[in-house]
Amino acid sequence: MSVIVLVDGEPLAVTIAHGADGLVGRVGDVEYRGTIRRDGETWRIELGERVLLATVVRAADAVWIAADGEIYRCVLAAEERAAAGTARVATPRVTAPMPGKVLEVVVAPGQRVAAGDPLVVLEAMKMETVASAESAGVVTRVHVSVGAMVEPGQLLVELDPS
Amino acid sequence: MSVIVLVDGEPLAVTIAHGADGLVGRVGDVEYRGTIRRDGETWRIELGERVLLATVVRAADAVWIAADGEIYRCVLAAEERAAAGTARVATPRVTAPMPGKVLEVVVAPGQRVAAGDPLVVLEAMKMETVASAESAGVVTRVHVSVGAMVEPGQLLVELDPS
Amino acid sequence: MPSVTAVLIANRGEIAVRIIRSCRALGVRAVAVYSEADADAPHVRLADAAVAIGPAPARASYLDVAALIAAARASGADAVHPGYGFLSENAAFARAVADAGLTFIGPPPAAIAAMGDKVAARTMMERAGVPVVPASGVLPPDAGAFASAAAVTGYPVVIKAAAGGGGKGMRIVREATALPDAIRAAAREATAAFADGRIYLERYLERPRHVEVQVFGDTHGRLVHLGERECSIQRRHQKIVEETPSPAVTPELRAAMTEAAVRAARAVDYVGAGTVEFLLDQHGRFYFLEMNTRLQVEHPVTEWTTGVDLVREQILVARGAPLSFATVTPRGHALECRLYAEDPARQFLPATGIVHVLVEPAGAGVRFDGGIARGSVVGVEYDPMLAKISTWGATREEARTRMLAALRETVLLGVVTNRDYLRAVLAHPAFVAGATHTEFLAAHFADWRPGPGAERARVAIAAALALTSRAVGDSESDGARRAAASPFATLGGWRSGGTAA
Amino acid sequence: MPSVTAVLIANRGEIAVRIIRSCRALGVRAVAVYSEADADAPHVRLADAAVAIGPAPARASYLDVAALIAAARASGADAVHPGYGFLSENAAFARAVADAGLTFIGPPPAAIAAMGDKVAARTMMERAGVPVVPASGVLPPDAGAFASAAAVTGYPVVIKAAAGGGGKGMRIVREATALPDAIRAAAREATAAFADGRIYLERYLERPRHVEVQVFGDTHGRLVHLGERECSIQRRHQKIVEETPSPAVTPELRAAMTEAAVRAARAVDYVGAGTVEFLLDQHGRFYFLEMNTRLQVEHPVTEWTTGVDLVREQILVARGAPLSFATVTPRGHALECRLYAEDPARQFLPATGIVHVLVEPAGAGVRFDGGIARGSVVGVEYDPMLAKISTWGATREEARTRMLAALRETVLLGVVTNRDYLRAVLAHPAFVAGATHTEFLAAHFADWRPGPGAERARVAIAAALALTSRAVGDSESDGARRAAASPFATLGGWRSGGTAA
């Protein structure tokens, strides 16, 4: 099995195989041999010299691992790419960076904007966040209106970069 | 469904049925109507006026429930009886009251004992506990020897009460 | 003498839990309220009774005065504790509680109202001889008016909400051209947060420390202070690390600040727990900022050093009892860190998710005040503060190193938090030296990113297994697994008894 | 000056966790050891490194001197902390540690040996002018010899192990006819517990209080006390509730007892943390009982009132540092309750099982020292103490009511504990009045049974569903369940949206 795991966003190429004496894992150029055993959320990772006693849980969007005083959030790069792929289209699309409520729609279709111009003002927990244009263009569609609740990644505004 | 539930050892007759407006539970002579919903270990017990937010887990031998600052250990009387039934035979059998190690076997087959006489001395965590005769009789068999590890309920000594 | 035998806690999260604990120790019944989003929250579970008050949005639940008073009546409560935030500084709520024949556990409505109008309070403080920062009165939301006022106070200036607090509606402006945008944003935030869009302007102090004094008054005319707290470590005007005593406050300065704080409280005939906030500039001059007429988030550090349970004292004072202490003799040093569901590496964006695992820190000199538990859903409806960790030490350094150890022990899986950011702050040489000010984070942590974890390679192997197998939490039940003979289940297809290479 | 940069902790459970915490705050590496039964125990998880030392039986792991010293060497530790119990009062172990070139975090072996022989220690204390209870020397395990000695001291008498401590090998005898059985049992227990069957006899005091004094010495000749602890609430000579200060100790008595304790420690050139135990009779006379040459289980109450981290101080003193304090000024009152896996309604039979749920108490003035976590297996191999809960208050009553609230908050499902027994003890009028003595439990709680829970009827309905359906933890995975849209899964076949009748 070969996969790319994003560990806190850092892509690591991981290959795992059965070895004669247990599990053989390879991360980049480094090989680790040993065993991994689990008792519920507790995983005992014995790869190389050190024993790691980790807590491993699978959330909806990632696997979370606590080990040695650190917390790691891990996703498969393939899944991350697949999710990102659906959002990446030719037309620049401005999406909600956070969950929240639309406080103000600053632009209207047909309006020309410069990079950095505010498009939509969002509020979550009484903190305002502005969704701005990443590049110049003309607003083609506005998908939200004031008062709407938006999810992270939800499409707010489409721009025509031409 | 009608069962007898031992709640901390106290037998309670419980009947549960579907009602027009939810669950109908009867404990002894008292009827409770409402709903029970769970989210993992958290159970929301809305029966009658009060909402009980309980933590419910099933262990190997019982269901444990924490509610309103109290902890309840619950088993089905049928299962308790079934377990007890296998142990209850005509011949008085003295079983281990706790897990531990046999420190001393005080009696031997053929020996006559009075009620309260020590039969076997057990040790667990360096505390001694004596398994004594509940009634007078003659020792017919001794099932353990010094140094043996015993489980709770394990047969130690059989007596002939005649 | 008012009866306080059952307290309705008009709040949620960690502060509701914290108030329940003092109620229980006092033998007072604690009645929780909850929105639909909080039906199985820890404060509901811990209370003696709980009343549903409405849907998730705070406006329809925790801010609904009528629903809260109805809940108090239905549950037989004879008193209401507002906690902090929500309606805690709302004089109308305090009056409504009193009108319903219930005891409000807080200051008199008049004191709340007097300090709630930040502009009027400023004027009153000036008259009482408490130093204030040069400022305008309330101005129309107009660039010209603000420009004129700024010319008097000098730049930089800060635009603030007259009804405000907690950084809501605040905008710092360093030059006149930035005024229009800032005025618009501040007015809008003020309206949204306080239903009152009035704004004003004041001189902005560069790199001041935020130092506040805890005061307490009883109904017998006694008014005392419990020392200061420094709360300079702020992101977007939101405190995240607090401590007492302040590393910058000398005994002489403390005497002057605490005296001024008591004078400020006395000017409004203050009763109960309150906090007088000051800015302390680099020359040791301090200026009245505002008075918070309620319990403060960071009150545990004062409890650590003084030994006074501030919530217990609030309840006793509400009953008409005299203060249980004449003066306090603080001991040692205490720190608090606020654990937020937010991503410090992404502009502190609020994070959401489910708390799948929660390990709370514990041990000598460590206190955890939490409002979450395993299974809690962290949404966007409420403030993203999940818990507070406070530590005490005989010295600041002991408290600091205990905090670092406690943060390391704190494990929350399923929601991004600022835990590692807090660890970095506590470990920064400037923090170690006590060189703190309100621009500390902007100066030292603007580009902070979490470092790569030391065990990420081996973690990646485990993650690869977890992400590609159905072994994690998918197969057997907990009960069934536990009952199995082997203490360890062999993972997925990776059965192996081999030893490390 | 000895280097202490990495400490091997030759222990397990809550005390190992507690020591790791102080190590971490000091920046000292903490190395855990574990038997096969403890492979995933909290102390292993929390440490910087962990070494397997053998199978579950303590004799083959936590009591295996060679394995421990090998583990220290392999892990690069330069010091060893023994905790309490196990090898903590074993002079040979202390010597072996020193011989291996490691620093023993504890008193000099000579002091351990001197106080370890209870009979010799008694003689030494008499010579040092510390009051002792009338007693015999070591006697042959023979009824005649004991009867003669008892005739001198007068009945009741107590038979004790010469090498003993912690109640092991003790038997109270009220008349000569009971001597033979008691001698046999005491000798056997002494052999089993200490590999030393020597026993002796002393006058048994009726209903005394157990009052002990914490002492601390450094390598520069300074030796101080940190006040007393009362530990009278004992079942089978095992302390379960401790407090400081003692309700029975007046300032004059405290001065006399602490002076005697320091004198006792000085007689053996004591260094480090130690405890001098006294019995206090009903006339205010006190008698030396024994000195424990180690950290005591109940040390947290002293930490609460004095603000001194005793483990940190142990490490600093082991490094050769002078004591960090000259005298202490205790503040307020602290209580500790020991949470045991045992059934108080069934002669305190040890209980076993799996910790399925653990909710630790928290908040102001509450400290939880635990050695277990969700999933921990509680077996019979080790001491059944699972955790300690300690509370502080400005007054004894505040500490007591906080303890009651904290015990109520403590939820452990899956293993029977003494939690409700402790709640009953803390709520008893005699305890409230401070009328405590070592026969307190025998006098007031001999027939204690837990009361029926107030919610047992509705709990029974839920239990019936849980016991007869496969709904509990059997169906979906946590992850899958959490991801579902509805916050509540409808139970089994009991789908219903109806309201309460």
Side-chain angles (χ1 to χ4, degrees):
Chain A
M1 179 181 70
S2 287
V3 291
I4 294 176
V5 180
L6 298 177
V7 179
D8 295 331
E10 181 191 359
L12 296 176
V14 178
T15 305
I16 299 176
H18 286 277
D21 55 351
L23 179 155
V24 183
R26 186 178 284 277
V27 181
D29 293 336
V30 187
E31 192 174 278
Y32 298 85
R33 287 173 177 269
T35 60
I36 295 182
R37 283 176 297 178
R38 72 178 184 94
D39 178 25
E41 293 166 357
T42 298
W43 289 39
R44 200 173 166 79
I45 303 173
E46 302 196 25
L47 298 172
E49 286 288 305
R50 187 160 179 213
V51 177
L52 269 190
L53 217 49
T55 304
V56 180
V57 292
R58 194 194 287 201
D61 58 337
V63 161
W64 294 74
I65 301 182
D68 195 34
E70 302 298 329
I71 293 170
Y72 301 86
R73 186 178 176 281
C74 307
V75 294
L76 286 180
E79 290 176 7
E80 179 89 344
R81 267 202 304 274
T86 62
R88 267 183 211 152
V89 294
T91 318
R93 296 153 72 92
V94 179
T95 55
M98 61 193 285
K101 196 171 100 177
V102 176
L103 268 190
E104 184 178 352
V105 177
V106 184
V107 294
Q111 189 173 334
R112 174 163 290 280
V113 294
D117 275 4
L119 304 176
V120 173
V121 182
L122 299 173
E123 184 217 68
M125 291 160 265
K126 303 207 196 309
M127 298 296 291
E128 291 190 18
T129 299
V130 177
S132 306
E134 286 195 3
S135 54
V138 173
V139 175
T140 53
R141 284 192 69 181
V142 175
H143 290 270
V144 291
S145 54
V146 171
M149 297 299 297
V150 295
E151 297 293 310
Q154 185 174 330
L155 184 61
L156 302 175
V157 171
E158 283 177 278
L159 298 175
D160 178 356
S162 64
Chain B
M1 177 181 68
S2 288
V3 290
I4 294 175
V5 179
L6 297 178
V7 179
D8 295 331
E10 180 191 359
L12 296 175
V14 178
T15 304
I16 299 176
H18 286 277
D21 55 352
L23 178 155
V24 182
R26 186 180 284 277
V27 181
D29 293 336
V30 187
E31 192 174 280
Y32 298 85
R33 287 173 177 271
T35 59
I36 295 182
R37 284 177 296 178
R38 72 178 185 93
D39 177 25
E41 292 167 357
T42 298
W43 289 39
R44 198 174 167 79
I45 304 173
E46 302 196 26
L47 298 172
E49 286 288 305
R50 185 158 179 214
V51 177
L52 268 190
L53 217 49
T55 304
V56 180
V57 291
R58 193 192 288 199
D61 58 338
V63 161
W64 293 75
I65 301 183
D68 194 32
E70 302 298 329
I71 294 170
Y72 301 85
R73 187 178 175 280
C74 308
V75 294
L76 287 180
E79 291 177 5
E80 180 89 344
R81 269 201 304 271
T86 62
R88 267 182 211 152
V89 294
T91 318
R93 295 153 73 92
V94 179
T95 55
M98 61 192 284
K101 196 171 100 178
V102 176
L103 269 189
E104 183 177 353
V105 177
V106 185
V107 294
Q111 189 174 336
R112 173 163 292 278
V113 295
D117 274 4
L119 305 176
V120 173
V121 182
L122 299 173
E123 182 216 70
M125 290 159 265
K126 303 207 195 310
M127 298 297 291
E128 290 190 17
T129 299
V130 178
S132 307
E134 287 194 3
S135 55
V138 174
V139 175
T140 54
R141 284 189 69 181
V142 174
H143 290 270
V144 292
S145 53
V146 171
M149 297 300 297
V150 294
E151 298 292 312
Q154 185 174 330
L155 185 60
L156 302 175
V157 171
E158 283 176 277
L159 299 174
D160 179 354
S162 64
Chain C
M1 196 164 289
S3 140
V4 179
T5 60
V7 174
L8 181 114
I9 298 153
N11 218 303
R12 64 179 299 282
E14 73 85 15
I15 192 60
V17 168
R18 192 259 166 275
I19 294 165
I20 292 168
R21 286 180 168 138
S22 282
C23 286
R24 177 147 292 132
L26 267 177
V28 166
R29 242 176 113 236
V31 180
V33 296
Y34 60 98
S35 75
E36 284 169 14
D38 285 337
D40 61 351
H43 75 283
V44 176
R45 187 180 298 246
L46 204 56
D48 293 298
V51 183
I53 49 164
R59 232 158 284 215
S61 49
Y62 298 108
L63 292 171
D64 183 335
V65 173
L68 290 164
I69 288 177
R73 285 202 164 124
S75 62
D78 50 13
V80 174
H81 195 305
Y84 54 70
F86 291 136
L87 296 167
S88 60
E89 293 184 282
N90 185 313
F93 178 60
R95 270 189 221 102
V97 167
D99 290 348
L102 307 166
T103 300
F104 182 75
I105 300 177
I112 300 175
M115 286 299 187
D117 185 324
K118 302 304 172 190
V119 175
R122 203 189 118 82
T123 311
M124 193 172 16
M125 290 303 106
E126 273 186 298
R127 272 204 295 266
V130 178
V132 298
V133 179
S136 74
V138 167
L139 296 174
D142 165 76
F146 274 80
S148 306
V152 175
T153 62
Y155 285 95
V157 296
V158 57
I159 301 175
K160 300 174 103 176
K168 304 280 162 59
M170 279 178 61
R171 283 294 185 282
I172 297 159
V173 179
R174 295 184 185 275
E175 49 183 31
T177 54
L179 277 174
D181 281 356
I183 291 166
R184 192 174 48 149
R188 185 173 53 223
E189 269 190 35
T191 305
F194 313 111
D196 179 348
R198 290 175 305 140
I199 53 176
Y200 68 103
L201 167 155
E202 71 181 29
R203 173 72 199 259
Y204 180 68
L205 301 177
E206 291 286 2
R207 306 203 158 192
R209 291 175 189 253
H210 175 115
V211 178
E212 61 188 30
V213 176
Q214 176 72 52
V215 296
F216 224 117
D218 65 19
T219 53
H220 307 275
R222 187 186 276 170
L223 192 56
V224 302
H225 75 87
L226 291 94
E228 84 280 5
R229 294 183 287 259
E230 180 170 339
C231 318
S232 298
I233 307 297
Q234 304 180 356
R235 60 132 187 83
R236 297 181 172 183
H237 308 292
Q238 185 68 65
K239 304 163 184 170
I240 61 170
V241 179
E242 299 102 340
E243 63 185 303
T244 185
S246 162
V249 173
T250 61
E252 296 71 33
L253 182 55
R254 182 169 300 118
M257 291 184 85
T258 54
E259 191 274 332
V262 169
R263 194 143 25 95
R266 208 173 275 295
V268 293
D269 296 324
Y270 202 79
V271 173
T275 296
V276 181
E277 296 189 332
F278 296 104
L279 289 180
L280 176 64
D281 76 11
Q282 289 161 16
H283 313 288
R285 289 179 304 232
F286 61 92
Y287 305 94
F288 175 81
L289 192 60
E290 63 182 32
M291 179 169 184
N292 293 322
T293 55
R294 55 165 166 84
L295 194 67
Q296 204 88 328
V297 174
E298 58 271 22
H299 76 275
V301 295
T302 299
E303 297 186 323
W304 269 121
T305 55
T306 64
V308 175
D309 179 333
L310 292 172
V311 174
R312 175 193 179 93
E313 201 71 25
Q314 284 185 302
I315 295 171
L316 297 178
V317 162
R319 280 181 178 164
L323 284 178
S324 70
F325 53 90
T327 56
V328 294
T329 311
R331 180 163 89 176
H333 200 101
L335 280 165
E336 178 185 274
C337 284
R338 302 190 190 184
L339 190 71
Y340 276 97
E342 65 183 22
D343 190 345
R346 294 174 60 209
Q347 293 88 49
F348 301 99
L349 278 185
T352 59
I354 290 161
V355 179
H356 286 282
V357 167
L358 176 64
V359 179
E360 304 178 3
V366 175
R367 172 176 167 187
F368 184 85
D369 284 279
I372 50 166
R374 173 185 275 252
S376 290
V377 177
V378 178
V380 293
E381 292 89 0
Y382 310 115
D383 189 88
M385 194 182 81
L386 303 177
K388 307 180 308 201
I389 300 154
S390 56
T391 58
W392 179 91
T395 62
R396 185 173 188 266
E397 187 59 8
E398 188 177 30
R400 190 186 71 83
T401 54
R402 273 185 176 160
M403 181 62 85
L404 281 169
L407 287 168
R408 187 186 192 276
E409 265 189 53
T410 305
V411 176
L412 193 159
L413 301 187
V415 182
V416 174
T417 74
N418 64 339
R419 183 193 81 143
D420 290 342
Y421 183 78
L422 291 167
R423 292 169 78 185
V425 170
L426 272 278
H428 193 282
F431 186 86
V432 176
T436 46
H437 52 78
T438 58
E439 301 301 316
F440 181 93
L441 296 180
H444 300 298
F445 284 85
D447 299 315
W448 183 83
R449 293 291 174 280
E455 293 292 352
R456 64 190 180 286
R458 288 187 287 173
V459 161
I461 294 173
L465 289 172
L467 285 160
T468 57
S469 80
R470 295 189 53 79
V472 189
D474 279 14
S475 46
E476 312 142 90
S477 74
D478 235 45
R481 180 177 52 68
R482 293 289 180 206
S486 160
F488 275 105
T490 301
L491 182 79
W494 306 103
R495 177 183 309 275
S496 167
T499 51
Chain D
M1 196 164 289
S3 138
V4 178
T5 60
V7 174
L8 181 113
I9 298 153
N11 218 303
R12 63 178 300 281
E14 73 84 16
I15 192 60
V17 168
R18 193 260 165 274
I19 294 165
I20 291 168
R21 286 179 169 138
S22 282
C23 286
R24 177 148 293 133
L26 266 176
V28 166
R29 238 175 115 239
V31 179
V33 295
Y34 61 98
S35 74
E36 283 168 14
D38 284 337
D40 60 352
H43 76 281
V44 175
R45 187 180 299 245
L46 204 57
D48 294 298
V51 183
I53 49 164
R59 232 159 284 216
S61 49
Y62 298 108
L63 291 171
D64 184 335
V65 173
L68 290 164
I69 288 177
R73 286 202 163 124
S75 62
D78 51 12
V80 174
H81 195 305
Y84 55 70
F86 291 136
L87 296 167
S88 61
E89 292 184 283
N90 185 313
F93 178 60
R95 270 188 221 103
V97 167
D99 290 349
L102 307 167
T103 301
F104 182 75
I105 300 176
I112 299 175
M115 287 298 187
D117 185 323
K118 302 304 173 189
V119 175
R122 204 187 116 83
T123 311
M124 194 172 14
M125 290 303 105
E126 273 186 297
R127 272 203 295 265
V130 178
V132 298
V133 179
S136 74
V138 167
L139 296 173
D142 164 76
F146 274 81
S148 305
V152 175
T153 62
Y155 285 94
V157 297
V158 57
I159 301 175
K160 300 174 102 175
K168 304 279 162 58
M170 279 177 63
R171 283 294 184 284
I172 297 158
V173 179
R174 294 184 185 277
E175 49 182 31
T177 53
L179 278 173
D181 281 357
I183 291 166
R184 190 173 50 151
R188 185 173 53 223
E189 270 189 34
T191 305
F194 313 111
D196 179 348
R198 290 175 306 139
I199 53 176
Y200 68 104
L201 165 156
E202 70 181 27
R203 173 72 197 258
Y204 180 68
L205 302 177
E206 291 287 359
R207 306 202 158 191
R209 292 175 189 252
H210 175 115
V211 178
E212 61 189 30
V213 176
Q214 175 72 51
V215 297
F216 223 116
D218 66 19
T219 53
H220 306 276
R222 187 186 276 171
L223 192 56
V224 301
H225 76 87
L226 291 95
E228 85 280 5
R229 294 183 287 259
E230 180 170 339
C231 318
S232 298
I233 308 296
Q234 305 180 358
R235 60 131 186 84
R236 296 180 170 184
H237 309 293
Q238 184 67 67
K239 303 164 185 170
I240 61 169
V241 179
E242 299 101 340
E243 64 185 301
T244 186
S246 162
V249 173
T250 61
E252 297 71 33
L253 182 54
R254 181 168 301 117
M257 291 183 85
T258 55
E259 191 275 331
V262 169
R263 193 143 25 96
R266 208 174 274 295
V268 293
D269 297 323
Y270 203 80
V271 173
T275 296
V276 181
E277 296 189 331
F278 296 104
L279 289 180
L280 176 64
D281 75 12
Q282 291 162 16
H283 314 286
R285 289 179 304 234
F286 61 92
Y287 306 93
F288 174 82
L289 192 60
E290 63 182 33
M291 179 170 185
N292 292 323
T293 55
R294 54 166 165 84
L295 194 68
Q296 205 88 329
V297 174
E298 58 270 24
H299 75 276
V301 295
T302 300
E303 297 186 323
W304 269 121
T305 55
T306 64
V308 175
D309 179 332
L310 292 172
V311 174
R312 175 192 178 93
E313 201 72 24
Q314 284 185 302
I315 294 171
L316 296 178
V317 162
R319 280 181 179 165
L323 283 178
S324 70
F325 53 90
T327 56
V328 294
T329 312
R331 181 164 88 175
H333 201 100
L335 280 166
E336 177 184 274
C337 284
R338 301 191 191 185
L339 190 72
Y340 276 96
E342 65 183 20
D343 190 344
R346 294 175 59 209
Q347 293 89 49
F348 302 99
L349 279 186
T352 59
I354 290 162
V355 179
H356 286 282
V357 166
L358 176 64
V359 179
E360 305 178 3
V366 176
R367 171 176 167 187
F368 184 84
D369 285 279
I372 50 166
R374 174 185 275 253
S376 290
V377 177
V378 178
V380 294
E381 292 89 0
Y382 310 115
D383 189 87
M385 194 182 82
L386 303 177
K388 306 180 309 202
I389 300 155
S390 56
T391 57
W392 179 91
T395 62
R396 184 173 188 265
E397 188 58 8
E398 187 177 30
R400 190 186 72 84
T401 53
R402 273 184 176 161
M403 181 62 84
L404 281 170
L407 288 168
R408 188 186 192 276
E409 266 189 52
T410 306
V411 176
L412 194 159
L413 302 188
V415 183
V416 174
T417 75
N418 64 339
R419 183 192 80 143
D420 290 342
Y421 183 78
L422 291 166
R423 291 169 78 186
V425 169
L426 271 280
H428 193 282
F431 185 86
V432 176
T436 45
H437 53 77
T438 58
E439 301 301 315
F440 180 92
L441 295 180
H444 301 297
F445 284 85
D447 298 316
W448 182 84
R449 292 289 176 281
E455 293 291 351
R456 65 190 179 287
R458 288 187 287 173
V459 160
I461 294 173
L465 289 171
L467 286 160
T468 58
S469 80
R470 295 189 54 79
V472 189
D474 279 14
S475 47
E476 311 144 274
S477 73
D478 235 46
R481 181 176 52 69
R482 293 289 180 207
S486 160
F488 275 106
T490 302
L491 181 78
W494 307 103
R495 176 183 310 276
S496 167
T499 52

